[in-house]
Amino acid sequence: MPIEHLDPGSPPPEGVVVELVGHGFVSAARDNSIRLAHAPSKAVVFANEPAAIGFLATHAPLVLQRIPLKFHPRSFEGGCGMNSRALLSRPTTDTATGAPAPSRSSVVRDVRSLEQALRADGKTPPWTPPEFAAWRAPLPASMTFHTPRCAKARRESHIGEKVQGATSLRNGWPKTLADHRVVASDADPAVPFLVDLPAPCLYTEATCSITPGSGQINVHPQGRSKAAAAVRLALQVFGLAGRVDVELTLTSNIRSARGNGGSSTDIGATLDVVARALGCELQGALVDFLTVATERASNPSYRGPGIFLQRAGVMPWQWPSWPGMRILGLDDSRAPDVVTDAMKRPRYSREQIDAFDFMLRGLIAAVQSGDVAAIGHLMERSAEINEEFLPRNFAGGLAALREIRKQCGSAGVAVSHSGTVAALVWPTDADDVDQKVERATHALRECGYDTFWNYTLH
Amino acid sequence: MTLQFAIHGPATREVIRDGFQDALPEVLTVNRRLQVLAFQTMKLLPALAVINDLERRGLLQAGGTVADTTSGSWGYGVARVCAVKKFRCILVSDKAMNGDFLGGVESHGAEVIVVDAPVDGANLQVIRKQRLNEVAAATGAVVLDQYENLVAAEAYRAAAEIAIGHVPRIDALVAPIGSGSSSRGLTHYLRSVNPGLRLIAVDTFASALFGLKVGPRRLRGVGSSLVPGNVHHQAIDDVHFVSADVAHEGVLRIAEAGLGDYGPTSGAAFMVANAVSLAEPDATVMCIFPDRQFRYVDLIAAHRAQRATLLHGMPAAPIWVTRLAHAVEARGWVAFNWRRRTRDEALALEGDTP
């Protein structure tokens, strides 16, 4: 059920049409609904939260138009590729008066510099602070539902990545992704990317109930602060922040800090379940947008095969399916955890970025032609490069995995580029694949690995 | 040891943006394990990159003059680029550039100075270089210097992108060596994906590139009387010395394989690539075809006329030698395990003076 039906007495939330230089998505308001479509430079964004206004002012050089829009969450489509961390930053204005908040963040600084620039140019910024309050949708007098709205959602995860690195924008990716660049070169920026190795056997299930209230959010088990942040963000998007209470329960078979994408899977499941409870469905691009906002990066497993720019939340290349692959995932439970948030971002050299560019071209061709041997070769090359940034110092390291790969006729080794898990891969139509997997499992056990996931990917 | 390029070579899309789509190669499939990177005119790619680089660095202004020495497709490439970019183009060449090919170069507005072969037996390439220096001094032309200019090697980034985009894993690259640019550039980029890639160089007899005694060469397009700085000996695993007859036979076999009409350099590479593929059946081999046949139609026709005779006694596979001194033309096709050594190292071990 569309959310505006929950509160027929209140005016719909408002949105703005903004120009986001090259962030890769456009919007058009049609019949009072919101529609996002692929085209450069423009977007409709809900802007009824001060932090969102600050974010827009930071990232959009010019707010083109402010128009009233009814909120149809189902109509979200298309790409959504911006750095949305600012959505989680502290409010840039006092929520009651609209005046600038006393805390000084970069968002505020950018808003001001933008405002000064526009005024110097003889223009009046449409987002000046006094308007913030006007843009806020008024709180409804009452909610129309009388029983909790409940839902359940499930998100699957991955075992590390086939390839992960940074790709040059010279490859034809949108230039505006330079906001996420990892090389300090205006002439030749590069952005982080990954191609994951999905694992349907690893998942998070989320259940939630939403009731009218004052904004209380309870997450079970306790300590899942990112999931709580995701709930807050989802409520902001639906214009329900501070109006409802949420009870969220997460059940997961993913061990965190191993490279299985546990926290981003939690966040994905959380966003799904909140949306579902409200009778909505979030499109992938918006989920990526919100996940990046919550934890700086996202996890593309649910979006199917593709090259994913995880810091931007954009999937600029997709394949219809993976070639048939038999996967033997593995982990050494005694190996020390890898806390992704504490890891320094890899600083890839120009030579390495060149290598990744070529590897992506190779991967595109290999997946299209169903060449699992070539995919395996590229996976292993990526693992080799990653040794410089996160060496595998346990269970014989990458060398032992490669040796077992050779002995067992596997196509290649994939590793988690920010974790301890890894995987061996075979084409599903390889001769005696079951025996090879069994032999590899035995050899890996002798090597010290004690956790395995044996499955087929299509 | 990988080569450290100073700048990024042009990406495919940048070459297309510049309007030189025909500079890009296509990938032809002989079989699952043997692929060909086939150019229409290979030197168009480095000519574009070198001239773009000079413009970018401010060394070549609008309406400026460029000059270089060439007897082959480099001149054609430079003339094409200069015609589009409105630069004056002066090429110093010899009698090898003649007929329709010379006409084709001149039709793009290039001024070609043909140097006669020296009567005293002096090295023709040295004479051409001297003449080039005189021309450059007189006209203020910027000398492109394809043999020593690393940008000419970096130019093959776009070609490597196309190769990888078709064949994600390449185990061996068979490359004819002339200026050394294509083999150097392609190997650099392809090894970034597969560091284990083996580079098989194709040279001819009486060429200085790998230390053979210099003399007259019947096979054009590979080999040189000088050793260009762009030849990266330390990247090369094996070298094959191929005679003109073997190369011309390769041209006919390319046509018979349904791949099209390519020149003798391509023929030499094709013969070597087939041998490598047969010797290493699990490896994926990529072979470079540098240009089309039109300059060499008469040579190929002559070979076809005498094919039955020439095939008698022609080696079906390379004769592997352990000393370069044993690489003599009478053997027709000789291979030597170079082992990524410098030229000096390899020749010192031979007991020869480099």
Side-chain angles (χ1 to χ4, degrees):
Chain A
M1 181 167 54
I3 197 163
E4 68 267 25
H5 293 175
L6 297 177
D7 183 21
S10 78
E14 293 182 354
V16 287
V17 179
V18 297
E19 185 172 29
L20 297 168
V21 176
H23 276 93
F25 63 121
V26 77
S27 65
R30 292 179 191 159
D31 304 330
N32 278 345
S33 65
I34 291 167
R35 186 174 182 81
L36 299 179
H38 284 292
S41 303
K42 292 191 181 66
V44 166
V45 176
F46 288 98
N48 57 355
E49 292 293 327
I53 299 287
F55 163 70
L56 291 176
T58 308
H59 289 80
L62 182 63
V63 178
L64 295 176
Q65 208 178 338
R66 180 179 149 237
I67 49 173
L69 297 164
K70 281 188 178 177
F71 188 18
H72 289 278
R74 283 183 193 281
S75 61
F76 271 89
E77 299 174 353
C80 186
M82 63 177 106
N83 183 338
S84 47
R85 267 173 285 169
L87 278 174
L88 283 187
S89 65
R90 287 178 294 182
T92 57
T93 57
D94 185 292
T95 51
T97 65
S103 60
R104 293 280 79 89
S105 68
S106 61
V107 172
V108 172
R109 202 166 51 245
D110 290 343
V111 169
R112 285 188 166 172
S113 60
L114 182 60
E115 182 181 336
Q116 283 166 4
L118 283 172
R119 287 195 188 286
D121 210 21
K123 294 174 184 165
T124 305
W127 38 266
T128 46
E131 289 192 60
F132 285 172
W135 283 8
R136 285 177 61 81
L139 289 170
S142 64
M143 302 295 283
T144 56
F145 56 90
H146 304 292
T147 54
R149 302 184 67 84
C150 300
K152 188 172 181 178
R154 173 182 163 132
R155 268 295 161 92
E156 292 168 357
S157 189
H158 59 89
I159 296 179
E161 297 80 24
K162 291 188 178 76
V163 179
Q164 181 172 329
T167 175
S168 167
L169 292 182
R170 298 174 78 211
N171 269 355
W173 309 130
K175 291 284 179 205
T176 45
L177 292 173
D179 280 0
H180 311 279
R181 65 177 175 234
V182 292
V183 173
S185 160
D186 289 336
D188 189 12
V191 291
F193 75 90
L194 62 84
V195 180
D196 73 340
L197 183 59
C201 49
L202 295 169
Y203 57 86
T204 294
E205 284 181 344
T207 54
C208 88
S209 70
I210 300 177
T211 50
S214 57
Q216 193 169 351
I217 297 167
N218 292 322
V219 179
H220 311 284
Q222 288 188 336
R224 303 280 180 107
S225 57
K226 287 181 178 175
V231 173
R232 275 193 291 276
L233 206 51
L235 294 179
Q236 278 186 19
V237 167
F238 292 122
L240 291 173
R243 302 180 192 178
V244 292
D245 294 337
V246 177
E247 284 284 325
L248 174 73
T249 304
L250 297 171
T251 312
S252 178
N253 66 353
I254 305 171
R255 181 177 162 190
S256 62
R258 312 303 290 178
N260 289 124
S263 59
S264 53
T265 307
D266 284 356
I267 291 168
T270 301
L271 293 169
D272 271 358
V273 79
V274 170
R276 201 166 287 179
L278 293 170
C280 303
E281 191 175 328
L282 296 178
Q283 294 292 325
L286 185 57
V287 172
D288 288 333
F289 176 87
L290 299 174
T291 310
V292 172
T294 309
E295 67 156 3
R296 293 194 305 157
S298 184
N299 166 0
S301 297
Y302 67 98
R303 290 185 69 170
I307 297 169
F308 189 64
L309 309 183
Q310 72 270 26
R311 303 274 179 205
V314 174
M315 185 172 267
W317 185 275
Q318 283 183 285
W319 294 281
S321 62
W322 294 117
M325 285 188 275
R326 179 69 172 269
I327 315 279
L328 178 62
L330 51 109
D331 193 10
D332 174 1
S333 61
R334 290 153 301 182
D337 284 351
V338 178
V339 182
T340 313
D341 291 344
M343 267 183 78
K344 269 179 69 176
R345 283 199 198 184
R347 307 303 290 185
Y348 298 109
S349 69
R350 183 171 272 188
E351 302 286 315
Q352 286 166 334
I353 290 168
D354 251 358
F356 286 124
D357 283 348
F358 281 97
M359 287 158 69
L360 280 185
R361 283 179 183 275
L363 193 63
I364 287 169
V367 175
Q368 277 170 350
S369 61
D371 186 347
V372 176
I375 295 172
H377 167 71
L378 294 166
M379 291 187 324
E380 214 162 295
R381 179 76 184 115
S382 184
E384 266 173 29
I385 293 175
N386 202 58
E387 281 292 282
E388 184 180 321
F389 304 101
L390 183 65
R392 294 180 69 84
N393 293 326
F394 55 90
L398 182 61
L401 290 178
R402 294 174 77 161
E403 189 54 38
I404 294 169
R405 184 262 296 164
K406 281 181 204 164
Q407 289 168 6
C408 302
S410 160
V413 177
V415 300
S416 164
H417 292 61
S418 54
T420 59
V421 296
L424 295 182
V425 173
W426 291 262
T428 43
D429 56 1
D431 294 338
D432 305 327
V433 67
D434 289 331
Q435 288 90 327
K436 286 173 180 169
V437 171
E438 200 173 314
R439 260 201 344 260
T441 310
H442 181 71
L444 289 162
R445 274 191 207 287
E446 288 195 344
C447 218
Y449 290 99
D450 55 8
T451 309
F452 298 95
W453 302 275
N454 184 353
Y455 62 99
T456 301
L457 191 65
H458 290 286
Chain B
M1 192 178 89
T2 56
L3 174 69
Q4 297 293 316
F5 282 156
I7 63 160
H8 284 296
T12 310
R13 58 201 298 270
E14 291 162 349
V15 175
I16 294 169
R17 182 198 61 201
D18 283 344
F20 289 90
Q21 190 156 359
D22 63 335
L24 298 169
E26 59 181 332
V27 175
L28 309 175
T29 300
V30 181
N31 57 52
R32 195 164 151 261
R33 293 294 180 198
L34 178 54
Q35 316 272 335
V36 176
L37 193 61
F39 291 83
Q40 299 291 316
T41 301
M42 171 186 261
K43 294 298 174 101
L44 198 47
L45 211 47
L48 178 64
V50 167
I51 289 173
N52 277 347
D53 178 57
L54 289 170
E55 281 187 290
R56 197 163 38 235
R57 291 193 288 141
L59 299 175
L60 187 57
Q61 313 293 344
T65 304
V66 301
D68 208 353
T69 169
T70 173
S71 64
S73 53
W74 172 249
Y76 175 77
V78 173
R80 279 274 312 271
V81 177
C82 286
V84 171
K85 292 179 171 275
K86 311 277 188 266
F87 294 121
R88 184 184 173 197
C89 172
I90 304 173
L91 302 170
V92 179
S93 188
D94 56 45
K95 292 276 168 68
M97 189 186 269
N98 54 23
D100 288 347
F101 185 69
L102 176 61
V105 173
E106 288 181 327
S107 74
H108 286 289
E111 302 160 38
V112 182
I113 299 167
V114 177
V115 176
D116 287 330
V119 289
D120 58 359
N123 189 318
L124 183 58
Q125 279 177 304
V126 174
I127 303 286
R128 273 180 10 197
K129 199 152 191 174
Q130 286 170 353
R131 186 80 180 98
L132 172 68
N133 291 338
E134 292 166 15
V135 168
T139 61
V142 179
V143 175
L144 301 180
D145 200 4
Q146 66 152 326
Y147 295 123
E148 311 294 330
N149 193 337
L150 207 51
V151 177
E154 293 169 352
Y156 289 93
R157 178 198 177 91
E161 286 181 357
I162 290 169
I164 288 289
H166 283 80
V167 189
R169 177 179 179 154
I170 301 170
D171 298 306
L173 178 71
V174 176
I177 312 281
S179 70
S181 303
S182 60
S183 58
R184 182 172 200 162
L186 282 167
T187 306
H188 169 78
Y189 291 118
L190 297 182
R191 278 190 181 152
S192 71
V193 177
N194 182 9
L197 175 139
R198 293 178 59 240
L199 174 57
I200 319 293
V202 181
D203 193 8
T204 189
F205 298 98
S207 161
L209 294 178
F210 295 94
L212 302 192
K213 192 177 174 190
V214 177
R217 295 186 300 281
R218 276 183 62 217
L219 179 57
R220 308 295 305 180
V222 289
S224 176
S225 301
L226 305 171
V227 184
N230 275 351
V231 178
H232 194 211
H233 291 89
Q234 286 163 281
I236 293 167
D237 294 282
D238 295 330
V239 56
H240 287 238
F241 301 98
V242 176
S243 70
D245 287 340
V246 172
H248 295 162
E249 175 60 24
V251 171
L252 298 185
R253 292 190 188 180
I254 291 172
E256 287 164 359
L259 301 176
D261 298 329
Y262 288 87
T265 317
S266 308
F270 190 61
M271 294 295 278
V272 173
N274 270 303
V276 172
S277 190
L278 278 173
E280 303 171 41
D282 290 334
T284 303
V285 180
M286 175 70 81
C287 165
I288 300 173
F289 285 3
D291 59 6
R292 288 286 187 168
Q293 196 184 94
F294 70 97
R295 277 182 80 185
Y296 311 101
V297 173
D298 293 345
L299 285 172
I300 304 307
H303 181 86
R304 183 179 289 282
Q306 305 175 57
R307 192 178 190 187
T309 315
L310 289 168
L311 275 175
H312 186 71
M314 184 181 289
I319 299 161
W320 285 87
V321 297
T322 52
R323 292 203 58 202
L324 284 169
H326 298 156
V328 291
E329 187 151 17
R331 294 185 157 187
W333 182 0
V334 170
F336 179 76
N337 186 207
W338 187 265
R339 297 199 294 276
R340 300 195 189 189
R341 290 173 292 181
T342 66
R343 188 170 180 273
D344 287 354
E345 284 167 355
L347 298 192
L349 285 174
E350 286 290 304
D352 299 331
T353 305

